[in-house]
Amino acid sequence: MTVAATTHRLHLKTNRTVDLTVDGQHVRVPEGSTIMKACQEVGIGTPTLCYEQTLTPVNACRVCVVEMEGSRALVPACARKVEPDMVIWTDSERVRHSRKLVLELLASSVDLSYAPDEVQGYLDHYDARPERFGPPDTSDGAVHRDHTQAGHHIPTTNGYAATVAQPPKIDNELYIRDYSRCILCYKCVEACGVDAQNTFAIAVAGRGFDAHISTEFAAPLPDSACVYCGNCIAVCPTGALIFKSEYDMRQAETWDEERQTETDTICPYCGVGCTLRLHVQDNRIVKVTSPMDHDVTNGNLCIKGRFGWQFVQNRARDTGVEESVGTS
Amino acid sequence: MDLRLIQNATPSAEERDAVDSLLGAPQTDWRGTPHEAPADAYFGAAGHESRGHRHLLLPALHAVRDATGFISPGGLNYICQSLDVPPADAYGVATFYALFQMAPVPPMIAHVCDDIACRMSGAREVFAELESRIGPAGKATPDGRATWHRSPCLGLCECAPAVLLQRAGTNQTDEVIAPADASAVLTRLTGDARKVEPNPQELNGSLHAPQTLDPECAKGLRLLKRAGRVDPESIDAYRASGGYEALRRAFDLGPDGVIREVLDSRLQGRGGAAFPTGRKLQDVARAPARPHYLICNADESEPGTFKDRILMENDPFALVEAMTIAGYAAGCEQGYIYLRGEYPLALARVRHAIDAARRRNFLGADIMGEGYHFDIDVRRGAGAYICGEETALFNSIEGFRGEPRNKPPFPTMVGLFGKPTMVNNVETLMNLPEILIQGGPAFASVGTEQSTGTKLFCVSGCVERPGVYELPFGVTLREVLDLAGGVRDGRPLQALLLGGAAGSFVTTEDLDVELTFEGTRAIGAALGSAVIMPFDDTIDMADIVLRIAAFFRDESCGQCVPCRVGTVRQEEALRRLSAGVPLGSVDQELALISELELVMRDASICGLGHTASIAVQSAISKLHLFDSKRAQ
């Protein structure tokens, strides 16, 4: 069930509204809205990492927390429903502190270098200084993160800050999983499960700091239930899951989003009519997405739409017709 | 649901038998036949019925572990095809629990407690001996049939040091050795004794409740009135000692009457949160959605806490009766006891009591001819402190990872299986029969205005007579300590831990605090699970605080960032401080720890994160833990 669909249903069910106060401003939103929606109504932005409009909120990252009068702890704006006469503060000292610390804790343990610019923007905005926790431990000792036993850990005594550093998992030709970039937002698990694909190839395994995304017994993807729809890649907020094509180009240092164009087209394979957004660099498709707010796809595709575009490039090479893919 | 099972992973006969003995013999070809399917085949034949049994995932994992010692791909496959759970999903659940291993391990594992009470009472000597004779934790004995691990608190603090010995296989048993010495453990791990059935005396456990030995003291006991006096395995003995009189009274009063008595008693939850029990009963009873569920939270895992274990071991029928009363008042037909996996004797006694009660029509259909239907299932935890958090407990029973849910909605409206649910601690429930027999107002005449009734205190650590003590609310810390014989060997008192690892350290200046919910709050502490653990002047408090920090790191479920990473950073900072190598200055490190405390308290999802730094903060502010390092 997508959020869009849920909201739609709620509109049908009730026309009731809720009045609340956000940062001193009066807001009226439909019953069942989240605090984040109320913030949007008055133009207040909320940083998010684990939130995605097409997925059920898990509010695991806690970067969207706001202060609610009468509540001992802060509450997650992405998931908490509005209640009449709520008084919300989105930029109090407590809120800024928690957001800053959450960002620092993530940045000190996870490689965020592929995360979109807005994440770096959050870090700057909240003056996050992850180095306060010590130099990151990027030693290979973390390679065995797939096989840790819950309830046990070997304490770090070398003054380094523990990280999730580990080598990327490259086990198929379509996409790679680099869990040293994983913030454990649960989005890929949701997209693989009931929120989109219903394949259940991956789940959160392990516990605590050793929790990680895994197939059964950490099996390589070709041995797992994965159907390569790539809907997990579409929702990954930090570049932990990326196309093999993107990964190879990044390794070769030829990946350059400044030089990329985006062109929307319709998938030619079947009659559903999914919108494909072709990301093109140097007149070659480098990856394919679908708009998250698109009625037909909600950002989801299947293996064919997501990965079945090599023939375009092959034909170009065979015939020498370089203009076969438009760059609008 | 279409499943793709693990390829080339066939269950062994033992694994099949273990799962079948839980779920019944396979009724369909789907479950019955091994699937030698092509690599890209997805099956969708298990149907709704299997899917409806997802809540049996945890028991099924236990069954396989009990049979073979670990969860193999074949075993997991068979569970998955039987319950229609995707393998990745089931793997995620299994790896959540400390007692499940996913790779072959020796069939015998000694879990040696490394937590605060045990490390002050000889656990170190046990570790040293095991390390020299067998090797580091996790190393197998030369014949590959046994190994040992360090364990968080086993809830046997009053007879520290403690060891839980798990034997997998056809004669599967869990045995507790406490107090343990290295030779007793080694005999079982390496000697011929491992073939011997466990010593019945050890399985029976010993009751450390000194008040029960003194007839004068024993007169005032409510919760411990049967402990050590009435055979916990005989329903006749239970009835002869007043058992089931309270349930009879409950039927006479009707559900509303029971709730009224509980409201009048002003009983508050004993699990740590002190929520008014009567209000909870009322909320569930009035909730329009059906069915209603009752859960007894017996996942007692707070380091230093063992009161619920002693109640279940010594008066299991009273718990069954209390749950029946609560179920009757709240309109529940199904109850669950979620019992921590490290309590073999409590598990056996509670199961026995349920069976005996069922045979005598005190459980099941038409209880005592009153037309009320109620039954109880026991669910065994598998090594996860977080599953004591009520919403994590729901997920665990339902067969998911024990990750807490968001509140609201609250369990009284949306709880187990999404239905209104009454969740109570063992000790809370055990007060119900007493309330009905005496009447609410009489119950409330004991204790203080705000904290009514008696309370079980878990006294362990550097104390002369460790054990559980039942005293009226309002008793002072000093009085409890005196009753327990004072500090061990007459040594000076350095500090006390009040309320467990999620509680706080207090000093000799706080000895006159009234032990009530409000009294402890007034000194900035909390009663929590009523742990009272004194430390004498020989104890290295930095070591104790580090252990608590490591505990929270190990037990964080990992769902939310503040707790998952915050507990790691807290432990790292404490290690740097205690090693005398702070980043920047000591003051900077202490400031950093305070910042971590604030984000965990403010932004974590559940109580584990909210409390993960309280003990650390109190050690810094009250015990001035790192002041000596500051000068350096």
Side-chain angles (χ1 to χ4, degrees):
Chain A
M1 176 72 63
T2 65
V3 170
T6 314
T7 318
H8 183 60
R9 252 195 1 195
L10 279 167
H11 278 290
L12 285 181
K13 217 164 70 179
T14 169
N15 289 321
R16 275 184 295 208
T17 55
V18 172
D19 291 81
L20 67 158
T21 310
V22 180
D23 290 348
Q25 302 180 65
H26 170 257
V27 191
R28 176 171 293 168
V29 287
E31 192 179 43
S33 304
T34 60
I35 293 173
M36 191 161 79
K37 170 94 165 75
C39 290
Q40 283 163 1
E41 289 292 311
V42 283
I44 296 167
T46 309
T48 58
L49 288 170
C50 69
Y51 174 79
E52 182 64 66
Q53 55 182 336
T54 57
L55 304 173
T56 313
V58 291
N59 55 84
C61 78
R62 315 305 279 184
V63 79
C64 72
V65 286
V66 295
E67 192 167 342
M68 178 183 127
E69 285 187 10
S71 166
R72 208 166 33 136
L74 304 178
V75 299
C78 72
R80 185 64 181 259
K81 300 276 197 296
V82 293
E83 288 157 33
D85 305 323
M86 262 185 175
V87 179
I88 301 294
W89 298 99
T90 71
D91 200 36
S92 67
E93 200 173 327
R94 280 172 72 195
V95 170
R96 284 199 304 275
H97 176 80
S98 276
R99 291 182 178 178
K100 171 189 160 114
L101 264 285
V102 162
L103 291 163
E104 286 182 336
L105 291 173
L106 282 176
S108 67
S109 56
V110 181
D111 179 356
L112 295 178
S113 57
Y114 289 0
D117 292 344
E118 60 182 3
V119 174
Q120 188 55 52
Y122 302 154
L123 288 161
D124 294 340
H125 180 82
Y126 290 102
D127 189 27
R129 290 179 292 120
E131 66 280 2
R132 298 197 298 153
F133 299 104
D137 180 2
T138 51
S139 66
D140 282 347
V143 171
H144 301 295
R145 288 186 56 85
D146 284 342
H147 301 288
T148 50
Q149 181 67 24
H152 294 271
H153 74 277
I154 299 162
T156 36
T157 49
N158 54 8
Y160 287 91
T163 71
V164 297
Q166 59 194 300
K169 293 184 196 304
I170 307 173
D171 53 18
N172 68 87
E173 284 302 306
L174 300 181
Y175 71 104
I176 70 124
R177 299 174 290 154
D178 183 353
Y179 290 127
S180 65
R181 301 174 187 280
C182 175
I183 58 166
L184 216 67
C185 68
Y186 290 60
K187 283 187 196 174
C188 57
V189 177
E190 292 196 294
C192 191
V194 288
D195 277 356
Q197 193 63 26
N198 281 286
T199 289
F200 307 97
I202 47 172
V204 180
R207 191 169 82 195
F209 191 69
D210 293 331
H212 59 282
I213 308 295
S214 183
T215 58
E216 61 278 8
F217 292 92
L221 281 185
D223 296 341
S224 78
C226 179
V227 295
Y228 302 95
C229 62
N231 293 332
C232 53
I233 311 172
V235 295
C236 179
T238 56
L241 305 172
I242 54 174
F243 281 66
K244 180 77 162 38
S245 48
E246 175 176 347
Y247 179 76
D248 290 342
M249 288 175 75
R250 282 188 184 272
Q251 292 300 106
E253 294 180 4
T254 56
W255 181 262
D256 185 358
E257 284 176 17
E258 302 273 297
R259 279 156 56 205
Q260 290 173 13
T261 56
E262 294 177 3
T263 305
D264 286 359
T265 183
I266 303 292
C267 181
Y269 281 107
C270 78
V272 172
C274 296
T275 291
L276 300 183
R277 178 164 290 172
L278 308 178
H279 298 249
V280 177
Q281 181 180 329
D282 303 333
N283 212 22
R284 294 180 68 79
I285 301 170
V286 291
K287 72 172 178 183
V288 171
T289 60
S290 186
M292 286 290 170
D293 54 1
H294 191 265
D295 281 351
V296 175
T297 66
N298 280 320
N300 298 315
L301 294 170
C302 74
I303 181 171
K304 291 183 274 187
R306 180 90 57 194
F307 293 110
W309 37 263
Q310 279 84 356
F311 70 94
V312 179
Q313 261 124 244
N314 292 346
R315 191 176 59 180
R317 197 156 50 233
D318 295 345
T319 60
V321 181
E322 289 292 331
E323 289 74 28
S324 61
V325 176
T327 53
S328 67
Chain B
M1 187 183 299
D2 288 358
L3 290 191
R4 187 184 189 280
L5 296 174
I6 308 167
Q7 303 303 303
N8 307 315
T10 319
S12 68
E14 294 83 31
E15 289 165 337
R16 272 175 173 279
D17 290 348
V19 176
D20 288 349
S21 66
L22 177 78
L23 302 177
Q27 299 293 314
T28 59
D29 281 356
W30 162 254
R31 254 190 71 202
T33 45
H35 293 278
E36 301 297 340
D40 58 350
Y42 289 74
F43 295 91
H48 281 291
E49 202 187 317
S50 298
R51 220 141 44 237
H53 291 136
R54 166 127 193 180
H55 63 99
L56 293 172
L57 179 57
L58 185 57
L61 290 166
H62 267 300
V64 170
R65 195 224 69 87
D66 287 349
T68 64
F70 74 109
I71 316 286
S72 74
L76 194 76
N77 244 2
Y78 192 60
I79 292 172
C80 288
Q81 82 182 72
S82 300
L83 296 175
D84 202 30
V85 177
D89 202 348
Y91 178 80
V93 173
T95 53
F96 188 82
Y97 297 99
L99 294 183
F100 293 145
Q101 314 252 357
M102 306 307 289
V105 287
M108 189 188 294
I109 299 181
H111 299 273
V112 187
C113 182
D114 185 23
D115 230 309
I116 40 182
C118 285
R119 57 171 59 196
M120 295 190 288
S121 307
R124 287 218 167 83
E125 289 72 26
V126 178
F127 288 134
E129 191 67 12
L130 289 174
E131 274 171 3
S132 81
R133 297 282 298 278
I134 297 176
K139 188 161 192 319
T141 50
D143 62 2
R145 290 170 57 184
T147 185
W148 71 281
H149 285 287
R150 288 170 193 262
S151 165
C153 183
L154 291 169
L156 295 155
C157 319
E158 84 280 25
C159 28
V163 173
L164 172 73
L165 198 70
Q166 290 189 301
R167 293 175 175 85
T170 43
N171 58 345
Q172 185 269 328
T173 49
D174 288 348
E175 180 192 1
V176 159
I177 314 169
D181 60 60
S183 68
V185 181
L186 277 164
T187 312
R188 285 167 175 78
L189 293 182
T190 60
D192 290 335
R194 73 184 127 189
K195 290 174 198 147
V196 178
E197 290 294 309
N199 181 345
Q201 212 173 357
E202 276 153 359
L203 194 70
N204 285 342
S206 40
L207 172 63
H208 290 267
Q211 289 164 301
T212 61
L213 303 173
D214 176 352
E216 271 311 300
C217 266
K219 273 183 199 158
L221 299 178
R222 289 173 168 186
L223 297 158
L224 293 173
K225 64 182 176 189
R226 291 192 190 87
R229 293 167 183 273
V230 178
D231 180 358
E233 298 192 337
S234 160
I235 192 166
D236 293 321
Y238 178 69
R239 294 190 66 189
S241 65
Y244 282 108
E245 283 172 16
L247 183 59
R248 163 58 51 208
R249 172 106 183 102
F251 286 136
D252 293 345
L253 290 168
D256 290 341
V258 174
I259 293 173
R260 209 160 37 241
E261 292 294 339
V262 181
L263 284 169
D264 286 347
S265 76
R266 302 200 302 278
L267 175 68
Q268 286 168 287
R270 309 296 200 229
F275 192 84
T277 310
R279 249 179 61 203
K280 209 189 264 188
L281 267 177
Q282 202 167 35
D283 288 350
V284 176
R286 288 176 179 171
R290 297 273 156 174
H292 297 175
Y293 290 104
L294 174 76
I295 294 177
C296 169
N297 185 346
D299 193 45
E300 178 174 71
S301 310
E302 184 69 43
T305 314
F306 46 87
K307 63 187 177 65
D308 293 344
R309 191 197 86 238
I310 287 189
L311 289 176
M312 289 186 287
E313 286 178 353
N314 293 286
D315 203 359
F317 286 104
L319 179 60
V320 173
E321 182 182 358
M323 284 182 70
T324 315
I325 293 167
Y328 176 66
C332 313
E333 294 198 349
Q334 178 65 52
Y336 290 92
I337 300 181
Y338 190 91
L339 212 157
R340 79 175 291 204
E342 292 86 343
Y343 283 175
L345 181 60
L347 179 71
R349 293 242 166 106
V350 167
R351 276 185 174 158
H352 173 269
I354 289 171
D355 288 344
R358 210 178 274 143
R359 278 198 301 276
R360 297 285 186 90
N361 189 223
F362 288 113
L363 278 180
D366 194 18
I367 292 170
M368 292 169 82
E370 293 285 340
Y372 173 54
H373 307 263
F374 183 70
D375 214 330
I376 300 174
D377 266 0
V378 179
R379 288 302 157 89
R380 194 167 143 209
Y385 170 71
I386 187 60
C387 288
E389 198 280 339
E390 54 191 7
T391 58
L393 194 158
F394 302 152
N395 278 339
S396 184
I397 291 183
E398 289 181 26
F400 296 93
R401 291 164 58 79
E403 293 173 355
R405 303 173 184 171
N406 265 306
K407 288 190 267 190
F410 291 98
T412 50
M413 299 306 288
V414 182
L416 184 68
F417 302 116
K419 300 297 180 187
T421 303
M422 175 87 189
V423 195
N424 286 106
N425 171 261
V426 175
E427 186 189 346
T428 314
L429 287 165
M430 294 281 262
N431 279 296
L432 295 183
E434 198 66 33
I435 289 170
L436 292 193
I437 296 297
Q438 295 189 12
F443 179 92
S445 67
V446 172
T448 65
E449 184 60 25
Q450 289 181 55
S451 304
T452 58
T454 58
K455 180 78 196 83
L456 295 182
F457 295 97
C458 309
V459 186
S460 69
C462 303
V463 64
E464 200 60 46
R465 283 191 299 277
V468 67
Y469 291 83
E470 179 178 356
L471 294 159
F473 275 107
V475 66
T476 66
L477 190 50
R478 189 188 304 278
E479 286 165 337
V480 179
L481 198 57
D482 287 346
L483 193 61
V487 178
R488 192 164 62 187
D489 304 328
R491 296 205 68 92
L493 179 67
Q494 184 180 184
L496 293 113
L497 181 63
L498 187 60
S504 44
F505 289 98
V506 297
T507 64
T508 47
E509 289 166 20
D510 300 313
L511 280 175
D512 293 312
V513 63
E514 275 196 358
L515 295 175
T516 56
F517 295 119
E518 63 278 12
T520 47
R521 218 173 288 141
I523 61 159
L527 200 55
S529 54
V531 167
I532 294 175
M533 196 183 289
F535 304 90
D536 70 26
D537 60 335
T538 65
I539 303 297
D540 173 7
M541 293 311 290
D543 173 68
I544 299 294
V545 172
L546 267 179
R547 172 58 212 163
I548 289 175
F551 173 82
F552 281 109
R553 174 181 177 168
D554 279 337
E555 299 300 334
S556 166
C557 80
Q559 188 181 197
C560 70
V561 175
C563 176
R564 178 176 80 232
V565 191
T567 53
V568 173
R569 297 291 178 250
Q570 173 175 268
E571 190 199 4
E572 286 169 352
L574 289 169
R575 281 197 191 279
R576 289 192 298 261
L577 277 171
S578 113
V581 285
L583 270 177
S585 67
V586 170
D587 286 329
Q588 268 174 296
E589 289 280 29
L590 294 178
L592 196 63
I593 293 172
S594 291
E595 288 192 38
L596 287 167
E597 190 265 343
L598 188 56
V599 70
M600 288 197 276
R601 179 154 50 88
D602 264 353
S604 298
I605 292 177
C606 81
L608 190 151
H610 296 160
T611 57
S613 196
I614 292 180
V616 172
Q617 287 300 322
S618 67
I620 291 168
S621 63
K622 284 205 150 180
L623 311 185
H624 310 290
L625 199 56
F626 298 105
D627 279 10
S628 62
K629 310 252 184 201
R630 204 171 266 167
Q632 291 168 13

